[in-house]
Amino acid sequence: MSTNQNRVAVVTGGSRGIGRAVAERLAADGQHVVIAYAGNDVEAKSAVAAIEKAGGRAGAIQADVADEKAVSRLFDTAEQWFGRVDVVVNAAGIMILRPVAQLDLNEFDRMHRTNVRGTFVVAREAVGRLREGGAIITFSTSVTRLNLPTYAAYAASKAAVEALVPILAKEMRGRDITVNAVAPGPTATALFLDGKSEDLIEHIASQNPMQRLGRPEDIAEVTSLLAGPGRWINGQTIYVNGGAA
């Protein structure tokens, strides 16, 4: 039996892109999945329907990850539906790309509210809810190493996530709860592809030794490991980028 079998996972940002691929992979592994989404009911229902069609169990609830009351309700709902929470994957995030001199501070604050505060709020709630043997998985980005122009504010928000991970892992001492971050490279999602020319996409894809963009399923595969059998990986940021950085 898979070590993911019969576990219960909360996946924020689970209605689209990498988050949806993670939700579908964990469900395929045998986990019951609760998808938290920001506001698109259609996408959330589609994600749940896809999991159920494949034989999994899932539900979706709208929640602002930066709102502690909403996050508390999210975990309450997961426990009401499935009895417990074993795994938390915080894939919710916002990416706004501007040079430092051109980024509006309201955009900066909005991005950091979701990416930093949201990660902290979800992690704080998870600490009090997860059972022994659980896992907390956050999301960073390989851009923290690539140093690309226009990514400064986004990379800074994700660097904060990376700083949180090893400290929280140590705070979980004695509870058999792992804490890790996944840091994808360029991945073929709507968020990444939007507004980019074919030439630019091909150029970015050529930068790693595999000479392609990542697929959401590539990221979900690593998340699946951390969410179940990868018990000796703890306090780490795993760069999942085909060797780009």
Side-chain angles (χ1 to χ4, degrees), residues 84-187:
R84 62 189 187 276
V85 178
D86 300 285
V87 173
V88 173
V89 180
N90 191 49
I94 294 175
M95 182 171 65
I96 301 171
L97 304 181
R98 303 269 193 283
V100 170
Q102 297 175 20
L103 183 69
D104 184 275
L105 289 179
N106 289 326
E107 292 180 319
F108 179 92
D109 290 342
R110 183 163 68 91
M111 185 160 51
H112 280 249
R113 183 178 185 276
T114 296
N115 296 358
V116 182
R117 178 185 168 93
T119 296
F120 192 91
V121 169
V122 171
R124 188 179 71 164
E125 191 68 30
V127 165
R129 304 276 193 154
L130 261 61
R131 304 191 310 163
E132 183 174 315
I136 299 171
I137 303 160
T138 66
F139 268 73
S140 180
T141 172
S142 290
V143 172
T144 57
R145 290 185 173 185
L146 294 174
N147 303 319
L148 299 176
T150 75
Y151 280 84
Y154 177 68
S157 74
K158 293 302 188 175
V161 171
E162 292 189 19
L164 168 68
V165 163
I167 297 171
L168 183 56
K170 291 182 178 179
E171 291 178 354
M172 294 297 97
R173 177 181 295 273
R175 293 186 57 188
D176 189 24
I177 294 174
T178 61
V179 184
N180 293 288
V182 176
T187 304

Side-chain angles (χ1 to χ4, degrees), residues 142 183-186 205 207-214 218-219 239-245:
S142 290
Q207 297 305 296
N208 71 71
M210 308 299 285
Q211 296 188 304
R212 67 171 176 85
L213 294 178
D218 296 323
I219 315 306
Y239 289 85
V240 189
N241 56 35

Side-chain angles (χ1 to χ4, degrees), residues 29-40:
D29 289 341
Q31 298 209 34
H32 306 325
V33 178
V34 178
I35 292 170
Y37 65 100
N40 192 316

